[in-house]
Amino acid sequence: MGPPADNIKLAAPHGGRVQHRPLTWRGVSLPALALVLLGPFLAAVINLITLFWLTTVQGAHAGLLPWQLSMIATLSALAYGVSSFLAGKWTRPHRAVSMLIGSTIGVAALASVILLWPAPTLPVLAALGLINGLLFGQYFVPLQSRMGDVKPFQTVAWSVAAYNASWGGGDAFGPVVAITLMRFPITALIGAVWLVTTAHAALILIANRTPHGQPQVHMTVAASTPQQRRWGWAASFLVMAMYMGVVATLYPGLGVVRGWSDPQIGMGVAVMALPIPLTAPILPLLRRWFSGPWLLAGMLTVAAAALAILPHTQSWPASLACLGGMGVGFAGTVFHAIYYVNADTANPTRSIGINEALVGAGATLGPLALGLLAWNDFASPLPYHAWAGLLLLTAAVIVWDYCKQRRASAALPEITP
């Protein structure tokens, strides 16, 4: 960890213009590094403003039932998965910048439409959610394509932590922006959306015009086992389903049933996302603890307990405590999965692809499954208890799988030379 290098003037040949070497950190230009660290944050801010407005301010207050409200998040996540898959097909280095800016401006324009739409019906809300997923799905693939060589960290763990802190911070900050500006005319919130979008587009263009530089650190990657990756795949699917099902379906409706205000509901959504950036500096230090089952199983247990208690809370502070507990379990589980699929030394691309597919499936099926289980009652304990049971069962299977392998290893005969 060192300070950025000085901005150095280089004499141009034949009396030409003086060239300036960009400011760098560990050999990586600061604009490129800023896009890697802030890009997901800025994109997630707009996306969460949109999701909060669709599901809470408009959906829950329109009297939609749980199974109806779940359609908005389900269609948005499904569209995001399809759009991301297509982006992987047609993304090329020379198209990446235009795709990034197009996605950013498109999502901002859609957010403005959503903020201005008076009393939309369920079909309108579902269609707007679907369009949001299609536009947002064009963002992360070109970002990774354009920024793939920006690797200033010494370990994969810190790279994962930085990435999680960025999008997790955006998920937490987006609802805060919305609830802070709700007391002003809606034009203030629309102005904030376009201010973030303008800053984001400028950052994309500046990073594109600046050479990325050559990283001065060699990233070390610890190998992972198929068992560790299987644990991560299963757990990430379940916690992503829980996360999206709660923030986009169950909690907005539960808040309306309990009589909480929109700012209180929005703060709950922010609190569930807040542990993602807050634990980002801590989890890399614990990465070796994830080699066994105990920390991962513990994270799933914490999330399950908080989820099971949530429908029985009557006070808003108690609900925040439950949401924070779920956020801690979610953050730790997601870190485990991303870290160990990236540590597959044999075929990391396949492992990452499987994990992303399962995360997408969780984001799609979670709201739908929890919404159908709740059906017409947001306060019904059934969806909360059922999914908490799946989390606990998964934690138990992970521990059992680990112990079974240990017993099998201990039973192998020793080989004498």
Side-chain angles (χ1 to χ4, degrees):
M1 299 282 291
D6 292 330
N7 195 2
I8 302 172
K9 292 184 178 180
L10 301 177
H14 311 298
R17 253 176 112 180
V18 174
Q19 299 177 342
H20 292 265
R21 180 182 299 169
L23 292 171
T24 62
W25 182 69
R26 290 183 170 176
V28 176
S29 75
L30 292 188
L33 183 62
L35 181 57
V36 168
L37 299 181
L38 293 179
F41 171 83
L42 297 171
V45 166
I46 307 301
N47 189 53
L48 260 290
I49 291 174
T50 303
L51 188 64
F52 172 68
W53 213 261
L54 280 172
T55 60
T56 301
V57 178
Q58 293 175 326
H61 285 300
L64 298 181
L65 299 175
W67 69 269
Q68 294 173 315
L69 191 60
S70 70
M71 298 300 170
I72 301 170
T74 296
L75 286 174
S76 181
L78 182 62
Y80 175 84
V82 172
S83 182
S84 296
F85 175 78
L86 294 175
K89 294 289 186 181
W90 58 53
T91 296
R92 300 292 184 273
H94 66 279
R95 299 176 187 164
V97 172
S98 59
M99 289 176 67
L100 281 172
I101 293 178
S103 174
T104 301
I105 294 176
V107 171
L110 180 69
S112 302
V113 171
I114 291 169
L115 292 170
L116 291 171
W117 200 297
T121 60
L122 174 60
V124 171
L125 290 171
L128 292 173
L130 187 145
I131 296 170
N132 182 66
L134 290 174
L135 291 170
F136 198 50
Q138 296 296 300
Y139 180 82
F140 282 102
V141 173
L143 178 70
Q144 293 178 57
S145 171
R146 188 68 186 88
M147 299 285 107
D149 59 338
V150 181
K151 298 175 181 178
F153 300 102
Q154 292 179 327
T155 66
V156 171
W158 286 106
S159 293
V160 172
Y163 175 70
N164 286 354
S166 185
W167 69 262
D171 277 14
F173 192 62
V176 172
V177 173
I179 63 179
T180 302
L181 298 178
M182 282 176 68
R183 68 190 71 179
F184 300 103
I186 198 66
T187 52
L189 184 53
I190 294 175
V193 166
W194 283 103
L195 180 63
V196 172
T197 301
T198 302
H200 194 181
L203 182 59
I204 293 169
L205 291 174
I206 294 171
N208 183 58
R209 295 185 63 182
T210 307
H212 290 182
Q214 295 296 325
Q216 295 174 349
V217 297
H218 176 69
M219 183 179 292
T220 58
V221 180
S224 63
T225 66
Q227 184 187 48
Q228 290 166 336
R229 295 192 292 274
R230 287 195 302 269
W231 296 346
W233 291 334
S236 63
F237 166 78
L238 290 173
V239 296
M240 179 56 73
M242 173 197 73
Y243 182 83
M244 289 302 299
V246 170
V247 301
T249 301
L250 295 182
Y251 191 70
L254 181 67
V256 171
V257 170
R258 294 285 189 261
W260 301 330
S261 66
D262 288 342
Q264 287 177 311
I265 297 171
M267 187 56 67
V269 174
V271 165
M272 191 168 180
L274 198 56
I276 304 170
L278 290 182
T279 61
I282 301 171
L283 291 171
L285 304 176
L286 304 176
R287 61 188 180 273
R288 290 179 178 83
W289 287 70
F290 280 103
S291 60
W294 310 110
L295 188 54
L296 178 59
M299 293 289 182
L300 292 173
T301 302
V302 169
L307 179 62
I309 296 171
L310 180 59
H312 304 288
T313 57
Q314 298 297 323
S315 70
W316 177 62
S319 75
L320 294 186
C322 291
L323 292 168
M326 282 185 279
V328 170
F330 174 78
T333 302
V334 168
F335 176 87
H336 173 281
I338 298 177
Y339 178 67
Y340 278 114
V341 299
N342 275 278
D344 180 1
T345 55
N347 195 341
T349 303
R350 172 181 172 274
S351 291
I352 294 170
I354 292 174
N355 188 67
E356 290 301 312
L358 288 171
V359 167
T364 303
L365 297 177
L368 181 62
L370 295 177
L372 290 176
L373 286 172
W375 192 248
N376 63 355
D377 182 9
F378 285 107
S380 169
L382 178 59
Y384 301 90
H385 292 176
W387 215 259
L390 285 176
L391 293 172
L392 289 174
L393 178 62
T394 302
V397 170
I398 288 172
V399 172
W400 171 82
D401 185 41
Y402 175 80
C403 294
K404 183 186 71 170
Q405 188 182 61
R406 289 290 298 269
R407 288 194 298 268
S409 299
L412 290 175
E414 293 186 5
I415 301 176
T416 55

